[in-house]
Amino acid sequence: MPVKRNGSMTRRKFLQLSAGASAAVAVGGPRILNALVPAGPKAEDAGVQKLFSVCDMCFNKCGLIARVEGGVVQKLDPNPKFLKSRGMLCARGNAGIKQLYDPDRLKYPLLRKGARGEGRWQRLTWDQALDYAAEKLQKIAAQYTRCGVLFMAGSDLQSRFVHRFAEVFGSYNVISHESNCLLSRNRAFLDTFGEVPYPDMLNCKYVIMAGANRFEALVTPDSIDMMTAMRRGCKLVVLDPRFTKTAALANEWHPIKPGTDMAFFLAIAHVIINEQLYDEKFIAEKTYGFDRLKTHVQAYTPEWAAAECEIAAKDIRRIARELAAVSPAAMVYPGRRSSDYENSTQIRRSFAIVNALLGNWDRPGGMTAARKVGLKSPGVEAPWYDDNPEERVDAGRVKMLFEEEGSFKLTRDAVIEGKPYPIKGWLTYKTNPMQTGANRRRTIEMINKLDFMMTVDITMSDTAWMADLVLPAPSYLERQDPASALQGSSACACVVSRDPVVPALFESRPMLEIVTGLAQRLNLGEFFDFTMEQYRRQQFEKLPGALAALEKDGVYYNHDKLYGVYEGKVFKTMSKKIELYNKRYADLGLDPMPVYRPPREVGQGKFRLVVGRDAYITQGSTTNNALLFELEPENTLWLHPVSAAKLSIRPDDRVEVASSVGKGKLKVRLTKEIRPDTVYMATGFGVLSRGLSNVYGKGACIAEVLEDYADKISGNMAMHETMVTVKKAHGS
Ligand SMILES: Nc1nc2c(c(=O)[nH]1)N[C@H]1C(S)=C(S)[C@@H](COP(=O)(O)OP(=O)(O)OC[C@H]3O[C@@H](n4cnc5c(=O)[nH]c(N)nc54)[C@H](O)[C@@H]3O)O[C@H]1N2
Ligand SMILES: Nc1nc2c(c(=O)[nH]1)N[C@H]1C(S)=C(S)[C@@H](COP(=O)(O)OP(=O)(O)OC[C@H]3O[C@@H](n4cnc5c(=O)[nH]c(N)nc54)[C@H](O)[C@@H]3O)O[C@H]1N2
Ligand code: SF4
Ligand SMILES: [Mo]
């Protein structure tokens, strides 16, 4: 029975399908992929097993219990013992079953035959694929040095093996997805508190959430704890140009003018300081640069800020007083994704500084420090290669790059320019920069500079679509993973791990096996001479009892104290205090305290395009999941009715949205849930890959339209700097 590809697939139909039918599926033409979904349960092994695992539909790692019947996963339930997720499994978590039994899964290694992105593939055996990849890597190393190969791994428990492989292979050009995500936030909090804190929302009494959408962009336990705290009387104030679900549930929503949050927070600091609403002892003992900050914020009055951010001065003043009244159990939520403006680090510094003024460090309801869990991370003594260049390819392009994470945007620039040295190979694992890196054409330009690109994924993502060699990975429900420490708030000083709940489907192979195969072919086998089991045993060496807890509860918790851990300790900053004034920034010629500069003008007849999450999509990658696709089959352009009227755009028209780098056509959604000067569209649509058979041909790709600016301090992508025109699309 052929799988129904484009109509709606109900949950019932899906279960029938996964439980019995066999299906044919095609990627880039029916001659290429033919595979079966698993056979249904046999009568003789009909017993139900309940197996622990950890969700991987996004990075949160919520605990789950898989119901397995006859070797088939029938349902995923939340693990009630799993404190971090507070016994929750979201819509995407539930849809994980469809990730496992997706007819669009990659099934065996594929080698590109036609032009890049043409979609013509040849099936290879694993030996052929690994021989091919090893030969290509060797060739690039010989011709361009080992740093001529770039490695990029997304958020995953096995990403560490990509890093290990890069290290022993000899390339320091490794990037994570983080420079498209949260590096400017991390930079800002690290450069204020000496570490990136975790918010204790559960015990907080007043939260200002700016540029974050916790009730749609789920972060556990923050999302759930925010709701619990609100039931206990915590006040939530949301600043967002869109009326998000978080805004809808908040006590107050302020549709702030995009890019002006710093003005708001400097004015909050102004009020707290001038009205002496801070804890004098805390400021004197724990902070550095208070007097300078006091002078600095004098010009930043609420009246001045109101003109910038379009939030009334009386509200700013009131919010500052309300916040201070319940401090230290009050916070400016640090946020998560901060890939938005060219000065995002400084914007988030203003968040951090207000937190410092509230004295909320290391106390209930405030910013808490990460807690060590005691898991070992086995290291490696990598060989040294004399002919390598001195530094990463993106080094020196901004002043405070994170060496470990790098910058996708700046690396891409360097690859295209061929400077300071050529990069000719690219290995991507569990990341989809064709959808999640702003300015898709630049990514294609980068790929066209390469001699060899290899992608390891579970489906034919847009990134895989552009690769030369595509290797199939097992999903999280089919593989054994190393343990991982989650070091967040009150709910998560814990260790998680994964074991397969069902055997791996098709010919998929986990990343450890892939890099081990490559290492063996490259005379580096000695660095990958262990099994996953042996690796994990090393991780647990200093944690007796943890394995038993994992077996019993699906998670191991460390119940060390959460507050007061900094008593008698110094902060890990240059001044050993919380840096209101950052000495290192001053030395580097950066603003040591955030200086407000108005955002780029939107321009006549234009709109600012902003990025943001919704509850049914993970970044750029779950839109093809049959269950989630049913909930969200295409994206739309959010446009305010007043703006639409000026452009003669009517409800349900198709529109063309265009920036200086690209354009897309999609349906419009006329809504007052967005400011008249701003537009929004969801990520993960307008795909190029015909291997994503549900979503192919649906909606428009935001990565095609987003211009690629970067945060000037950290190199984090800056995705909200894009101005677009909107017009009615032809033929609509
Ligand atoms: N336009 C736009 N761009 C964004 C964002 C946005 O909201 N809008 N968000 C930004 C943020 S915050 C982030 S964190 C980044 C994230 O950016 P990415 O790291 O690109 O994240 P995903 O889009 O989730 O891509 C994950 C890829 O891994 C594949 N995959 C899923 N499970 C497995 C598995 O088990 N094994 C393997 N090998 N592959 C798997 C998926 O098919 C997909 O191709 O994007 C950033 N860029
Ligand atoms: N359902 C779901 N949950 C997820 C993810 C997912 O993809 N889907 N991804 C996870 C990941 S990797 C991350 S990093 C987090 C991201 O979670 P968040 O950090 O909450 O990120 P976004 O959803 O991108 O929310 C950013 C919000 O900022 C608003 N905004 C735009 N410009 C401005 C501005 O100038 N000022 C202010 N104040 N607001 C502005 C946007 O409208 C948007 O609502 O979510 C995580 N949770
Ligand atoms: S928030 Fe949802 S998708 Fe993310 S790990 Fe948890 S259950 Fe899975
Ligand atoms: Mo992210």
Side-chain angles (χ1 to χ4, degrees):
M1 182 193 91
V3 181
K4 202 170 163 207
R5 331 238 72 264
N6 43 14
S8 70
M9 191 188 294
T10 62
R11 187 170 168 78
R12 199 177 135 72
K13 269 195 224 147
F14 154 70
L15 284 173
Q16 284 168 349
L17 174 68
S18 58
S22 66
V25 57
V27 170
R31 69 193 171 283
I32 293 166
L33 287 182
N34 282 293
L36 304 178
V37 293
K42 296 192 195 93
E44 64 264 29
D45 52 12
V48 179
Q49 283 177 291
K50 293 189 173 180
L51 301 168
F52 290 123
S53 188
V54 180
C55 183
D56 196 26
M57 293 297 285
C58 82
F59 73 95
N60 275 308
K61 303 184 184 70
C62 300
L64 67 82
I65 297 173
R67 275 194 242 165
V68 181
E69 206 176 332
V72 175
V73 181
Q74 299 290 358
K75 190 169 183 317
L76 302 173
D77 295 313
N79 174 356
K81 294 269 178 72
F82 205 94
L83 279 185
K84 178 183 188 276
S85 41
R86 309 285 190 204
M88 184 267 334
L89 206 60
C90 80
R92 293 165 300 144
N94 274 280
I97 198 164
K98 196 58 205 166
Q99 175 147 310
L100 169 63
Y101 299 130
D102 181 357
D104 280 348
R105 281 275 301 268
L106 290 169
K107 297 171 186 73
Y108 29 72
L110 292 171
L111 180 69
R112 174 169 69 85
K113 287 321 282 175
R116 276 194 172 119
E118 199 189 325
R120 289 181 47 221
W121 305 95
Q122 178 193 342
R123 178 177 179 172
L124 297 185
T125 65
W126 270 101
D127 271 339
Q128 286 170 326
L130 292 174
D131 286 348
Y132 182 86
E135 192 191 312
K136 289 286 180 184
L137 295 179
Q138 190 83 278
K139 213 165 156 191
I140 294 168
Q143 207 173 337
Y144 302 100
T145 83
R146 287 163 180 268
C147 284
V149 180
L150 170 68
F151 295 85
M152 183 166 180
S155 163
D156 187 61
L157 299 191
Q158 293 208 24
S159 292
R160 68 185 67 209
F161 299 126
V162 178
H163 294 214
R164 185 183 178 104
F165 180 77
E167 207 176 333
V168 302
F169 176 76
S171 173
Y172 17 89
N173 289 314
V174 181
I175 27 181
S176 67
H177 68 289
E178 294 189 3
S179 63
N180 288 326
C181 173
L182 46 55
L183 285 189
S184 44
R185 179 207 69 162
N186 287 359
R187 186 80 271 163
F189 279 80
L190 192 65
D191 295 344
T192 309
F193 293 102
E195 65 172 281
V196 180
Y198 292 88
D200 179 23
M201 308 190 86
L202 189 64
N203 299 301
C204 194
K205 297 190 175 121
Y206 202 106
V207 176
I208 304 186
M209 194 171 285
N213 183 10
R214 216 43 340 115
F215 295 156
E216 289 180 275
L218 301 184
V219 172
T220 55
D222 298 11
S223 299
I224 309 143
D225 284 356
M226 186 69 238
M227 292 185 212
T228 311
M230 286 173 80
R231 271 202 302 276
R232 295 177 186 163
C234 175
K235 188 164 174 182
L236 174 64
V237 174
V238 168
L239 315 185
D240 198 307
R242 296 189 301 131
F243 187 65
T244 59
K245 303 276 186 293
T246 312
L249 292 167
N251 300 79
E252 284 180 37
W253 168 57
H254 299 274
I256 189 166
K257 181 175 170 189
T260 66
D261 296 58
M262 191 199 288
F264 177 88
F265 288 108
L266 288 171
I268 294 277
H270 173 104
V271 177
I272 293 175
I273 291 176
N274 283 12
E275 298 188 8
Q276 293 179 18
L277 304 176
Y278 52 87
D279 172 349
E280 256 176 69
K281 188 163 172 278
F282 182 91
I283 294 292
E285 284 174 10
K286 310 249 191 261
T287 67
Y288 175 81
F290 180 76
D291 291 338
R292 281 164 153 154
L293 179 69
K294 185 174 180 175
T295 311
H296 181 68
V297 298
Q298 286 316 304
Y300 299 130
T301 62
E303 286 68 25
W304 162 84
E308 292 296 327
C309 68
E310 300 179 1
I311 300 174
K314 68 170 184 353
D315 288 329
I316 300 177
R317 214 168 244 116
R318 173 182 53 79
I319 290 168
R321 288 171 188 155
E322 288 175 359
L323 197 60
V326 290
S327 67
M331 72 168 83
V332 180
Y333 183 67
R336 183 136 181 130
R337 182 180 71 80
S338 56
S339 51
D340 34 28
Y341 296 96
E342 281 187 299
N343 65 339
S344 277
T345 295
Q346 293 287 15
I347 292 176
R348 301 279 162 157
R349 271 270 292 157
S350 72
F351 293 25
I353 285 170
V354 172
N355 281 315
L357 292 176
L358 295 170
N360 67 15
W361 180 258
D362 201 21
R363 300 183 187 187
M367 303 289 112
T368 58
R371 287 175 295 162
K372 291 254 178 304
V373 186
L375 203 60
K376 257 181 70 175
S377 38
V380 61
E381 277 207 32
W384 177 260
Y385 300 99
D386 281 331
D387 60 340
N388 258 341
E390 300 256 294
E391 290 191 289
R392 303 178 50 100
V393 77
D394 48 357
R397 290 181 182 240
V398 283
K399 292 200 168 149
M400 294 187 71
L401 190 76
F402 281 98
E403 281 282 318
E404 297 265 305
E405 288 80 8
S407 161
F408 171 70
K409 141 86 184 157
L410 299 177
T411 297
R412 189 177 63 185
D413 288 349
V415 176
I416 292 170
E417 292 162 22
K419 285 181 189 154
Y421 52 85
I423 297 256
K424 292 292 174 183
W426 191 13
L427 189 158
T428 69
Y429 171 65
K430 207 189 180 199
T431 185
N432 186 15
M434 279 286 291
Q435 275 288 339
T436 52
N439 198 345
R440 182 163 77 177
R441 283 184 202 188
R442 282 288 275 182
T443 308
I444 295 173
E445 205 181 332
M446 168 187 174
I447 293 169
N448 284 331
K449 294 275 179 188
L450 304 173
D451 293 345
F452 175 59
M453 175 176 175
M454 168 177 137
T455 292
V456 183
D457 207 302
I458 49 170
T459 55
M460 189 61 88
S461 68
D462 273 5
T463 302
W465 189 248
M466 295 303 295
D468 303 310
L469 185 65
V470 178
L471 301 180
S475 78
Y476 63 104
L477 294 165
E478 305 158 271
R479 62 173 196 251
Q480 192 180 30
D481 273 338
S484 176
L486 309 179
Q487 300 178 308
S489 69
S490 52
C492 41
C494 60
V495 175
V496 298
S497 187
R498 282 194 193 98
D499 284 298
V501 303
V502 286
L505 289 172
F506 316 115
E507 291 182 16
S508 61
R509 284 195 190 174
M511 200 55 189
L512 177 58
E513 220 174 300
I514 295 174
V515 285
T516 301
L518 287 177
Q520 283 162 352
R521 285 166 174 78
L522 292 162
N523 279 332
L524 298 166
E526 63 187 289
F527 302 104
F528 284 92
D529 60 348
F530 52 86
T531 62
M532 186 71 80
E533 201 58 63
Q534 289 164 335
Y535 184 89
R536 274 210 316 216
R537 223 171 293 139
Q538 274 197 48
Q539 289 188 292
F540 283 110
E541 249 167 31
K542 291 195 178 139
L543 275 181
L547 279 169
L550 275 160
E551 195 138 308
K552 182 168 155 281
D553 296 332
V555 62
Y556 162 78
Y557 281 99
N558 170 342
H559 293 284
D560 277 1
K561 74 172 179 176
L562 174 61
Y563 313 113
V565 295
Y566 260 65
E567 269 161 30
K569 285 198 192 151
V570 295
F571 291 84
K572 297 169 211 140
T573 56
M574 270 175 90
S575 65
K576 300 194 167 44
K577 294 193 168 194
I578 299 170
E579 299 213 336
L580 305 172
Y581 179 97
N582 188 295
K583 266 171 74 81
R584 188 150 165 232
Y585 282 23
D587 293 347
L588 289 169
L590 303 168
D591 294 332
M593 292 173 291
V595 174
Y596 182 78
R597 296 177 183 88
R600 182 173 287 122
E601 281 294 322
V602 174
Q604 197 62 35
K606 293 204 172 183
F607 302 88
R608 184 185 295 274
L609 174 62
V610 297
V611 168
R613 298 295 197 283
D614 69 47
Y616 302 138
I617 301 174
T618 296
Q619 283 111 230
S621 67
T622 58
T623 46
N624 193 58
N625 178 298
L627 293 174
L628 298 171
F629 175 74
E630 206 175 301
L631 297 168
E632 192 156 351
E634 64 183 323
N635 59 351
T636 53
L637 188 81
W638 293 29
L639 181 67
H640 195 280
V642 169
S643 312
K646 287 186 195 151
L647 297 164
S648 307
I649 289 169
R650 298 162 54 83
D652 295 327
D653 271 352
R654 273 172 69 74
V655 291
E656 181 182 284
V657 52
S659 70
S660 71
V661 302
K663 56 188 169 191
K665 286 182 188 173
L666 70 173
K667 241 190 241 168
V668 77
R669 172 176 180 247
L670 297 194
T671 175
K672 287 181 185 159
E673 292 172 359
I674 191 157
R675 285 172 58 99
D677 57 1
T678 306
V679 290
Y680 162 81
M681 62 202 269
T683 305
F685 295 90
V687 299
L688 299 177
S689 167
R690 291 198 300 277
L692 301 171
S693 53
N694 290 320
V695 77
Y696 180 74
K698 304 289 188 318
C701 174
I702 190 171
E704 175 77 21
V705 185
L706 289 169
E707 294 166 5
D708 54 332
Y709 295 92
D711 172 59
K712 292 203 168 129
I713 295 182
S714 68
N716 202 168
M717 191 70 88
M719 294 192 272
H720 296 188
E721 299 278 12
T722 303
M723 307 306 165
V724 295
T725 54
V726 178
K727 63 179 187 191
K728 212 164 152 160
H730 288 301
S732 63

